[in-house]
Amino acid sequence: MAESFFTTLTLTFQAGASTNTGSPRVVGAGLFALDVIVRPDGQEAVHALGGSAGNVLHILAALGWKSVPVGALGDDPAARAVNEEFRKVNADLRFLRCSDTKHTPVIYQHQLGVGATSTHRFSFACPGCGEARRPIWDNDADLALLHAKLPKSNVYFFDRPTRLGVELAERYLQAGALVVFEPSSIGQDEVLFRRSVECAHIVKYSDERLDDLQRFHLRPDAIEIQTLGSRGLRYRIGSLKPEWVHVPAFRLPYVLDTAGAGDWCTAGMIFSLFRLAGEAQGLSVLENALVFGQALSSLNCLTEGARGLQKAWPRDKIVTIADDITRQWAVERRRLSRGSPYTWEVGLSTAADALHKHAPEYARSSFRRLHRCMTL
């Protein structure tokens, strides 16, 4: 039953003190990479930690969690840059190892000009020399980490159905952690994917990458979340609420960059779930957490880069404004239920004006104006 999800959430929340940090802990495995932003004129502009696992763990660490990335990078400058960004948010780097048998993935984010159907495109190929530094999964350096003495954790997050990711998920499930799986594809080994969804309490994916997961056996209490781009997202919960529930997107006055939007939504959802776990249980907790995640996601779309919001505002300001947006959403939802007109603006214009000054010079005079909702 889905009630066991909220029981797990409450128990892992209460177990926070056992991490000996006073803050919740998240352990994560998957894609840790160096992101390189390439401006429309071809110039490389920003180098930053990236990858879904990298972004989610870094955002949670910046929000006050203890983050523990697990994986193997190369012994190269890209790995040193990734580690340095994690150090700035006091992440535990004992299990993010460097190996001379690997190279650190590098992802080039090409910013697209006005009139394009999206804000960016990703490539592993260096625009200068053409060399591609793609991730390499499940080699000896990765699998050696299965024998490491990993710490207790409130949450385990993974974004790839690799052997390392799946076996750690099963281990943390048995230890009582909340398991969150955010795949971008089924991958080459469907057996590993099936094992992944069978042990995850939350499975979140984009409709651009995967159809719904009806042919897979999710846990009876699993929360399945499908993001829908400009239409927001929808969710359903096993046997408790098997029909999809739609949560619309926020309307933004402009969008600068949608990179990292889904990672902010995930991190915000996890952050909010654990803040609310000590107060209440039920669907209202989940829906408020999803809306808080959408608020963070939408705010980051007003900046450049997968974690541009972190560079623009300090932690307390990010959380305060996202909380304000979430509260306004609750008022708007009640107004809508009484038959009032549906606007869904929810105060984002003020935030957009404040973030405009942080935009790079090339973009200030050419923001993409929207006539429909944008999110995730």
Side-chain angles (χ1 to χ4, degrees), residues 205 212-214 222-226 234-238 241-245 286:
Y205 57 94
D212 68 41
L213 303 179
Q214 285 188 327
I223 295 174
E224 182 180 355
I225 302 166
Q226 185 184 60
R234 59 181 187 168
Y235 72 89
R236 58 187 176 187
I237 312 177
K241 204 169 186 66
E243 69 278 9
W244 286 108
V245 178
L286 173 63

Side-chain angles (χ1 to χ4, degrees), residues 27-357:
V27 171
L31 182 58
F32 302 105
L34 184 69
D35 278 357
V36 179
I37 290 180
V38 182
R39 294 272 169 76
D41 62 3
Q43 296 298 309
E44 294 184 8
V46 179
H47 299 68
L49 164 68
S52 293
N55 286 330
V56 169
L57 266 65
H58 193 283
I59 292 167
L60 283 170
L63 293 176
W65 281 48
K66 188 66 175 177
S67 287
V68 186
V70 180
L73 302 174
D75 187 6
D76 50 34
R80 290 188 279 278
V82 167
N83 278 295
E84 180 58 28
E85 288 219 37
F86 269 133
R87 287 191 189 95
K88 290 178 181 178
V89 290
N90 298 314
D92 181 348
L93 296 177
R94 289 176 296 162
F95 309 100
L96 188 61
R97 299 177 178 172
C98 294
S99 169
D100 58 11
T101 66
K102 294 176 72 76
H103 57 247
T104 304
V106 178
I107 302 171
Y108 294 90
Q109 178 186 323
H110 295 264
Q111 303 295 74
L112 303 180
V114 175
T117 56
S118 63
T119 63
H120 62 277
R121 66 177 178 85
F122 291 120
S123 172
F124 284 106
C126 172
C129 67
E131 179 186 6
R133 297 168 65 100
R134 300 177 183 275
I136 300 172
W137 305 112
D138 287 347
N139 67 3
D140 291 342
D142 291 324
L143 299 179
L145 289 159
L146 290 172
H147 306 291
K149 188 176 181 180
L150 295 166
K152 294 179 180 179
S153 187
N154 303 94
V155 176
Y156 172 71
F157 173 87
F158 65 125
D159 63 12
R160 296 293 190 280
T162 63
R163 183 179 160 193
L164 172 66
V166 174
E167 294 200 19
L168 290 178
E170 292 169 344
R171 182 185 302 182
Y172 275 106
L173 175 66
Q174 292 300 314
L178 187 74
V179 177
V180 182
F181 178 42
E182 186 162 4
S184 59
S185 69
I186 293 174
Q188 297 180 340
D189 189 332
E190 189 167 307
V191 173
L192 284 176
F193 188 85
R194 288 184 182 277
R195 287 171 59 189
S196 298
V197 298
E198 286 170 2
C199 68
H201 296 100
I202 299 175
V203 182
K204 177 176 175 283
Y205 57 94
S206 167
D207 70 333
E208 296 179 348
R209 301 291 187 93
L210 291 169
D211 296 326
D212 68 41
L213 303 179
Q214 285 188 327
R215 69 189 182 93
F216 296 97
H217 297 290
L218 277 67
R219 293 170 53 88
D221 63 342
I223 295 174
E224 182 180 355
I225 302 166
Q226 185 184 60
T227 61
L228 306 171
S230 62
R231 293 171 290 138
L233 59 80
R234 59 181 187 168
Y235 72 89
R236 58 187 176 187
I237 312 177
S239 57
L240 178 66
K241 204 169 186 66
E243 69 278 9
W244 286 108
V245 178
H246 182 224
V247 182
F250 292 117
R251 188 182 301 277
L252 299 179
Y254 67 84
V255 168
L256 176 57
D257 190 354
T258 60
D263 301 329
W264 277 95
C265 184
T266 300
M269 173 192 66
I270 293 170
F271 176 82
S272 184
L273 280 174
F274 276 80
R275 280 200 307 173
L276 297 171
E279 303 173 10
Q281 291 190 14
L283 292 178
S284 62
V285 172
L286 173 63
E287 197 154 305
N288 274 275
L290 288 171
V291 172
F292 182 86
Q294 283 186 305
L296 291 183
S297 170
S298 298
L299 289 169
N300 196 67
C301 288
L302 303 172
T303 68
E304 182 185 51
R307 288 178 291 102
L309 186 59
Q310 286 181 338
K311 297 180 176 64
W313 285 346
R315 170 196 180 276
D316 289 348
K317 185 171 184 177
I318 292 171
V319 172
T320 297
I321 291 180
D323 278 338
D324 288 344
I325 292 169
T326 304
R327 281 191 291 268
Q328 292 177 57
W329 164 82
V331 172
E332 182 79 2
R333 184 176 64 167
R334 288 194 295 271
R335 192 167 69 87
L336 180 62
S337 69
R338 295 194 297 267
S340 300
Y342 177 60
T343 59
W344 214 250
E345 298 288 350
V346 218
L348 278 161
S349 293
T350 301
D353 291 342
L355 286 168
H356 182 275
K357 65 182 180 181

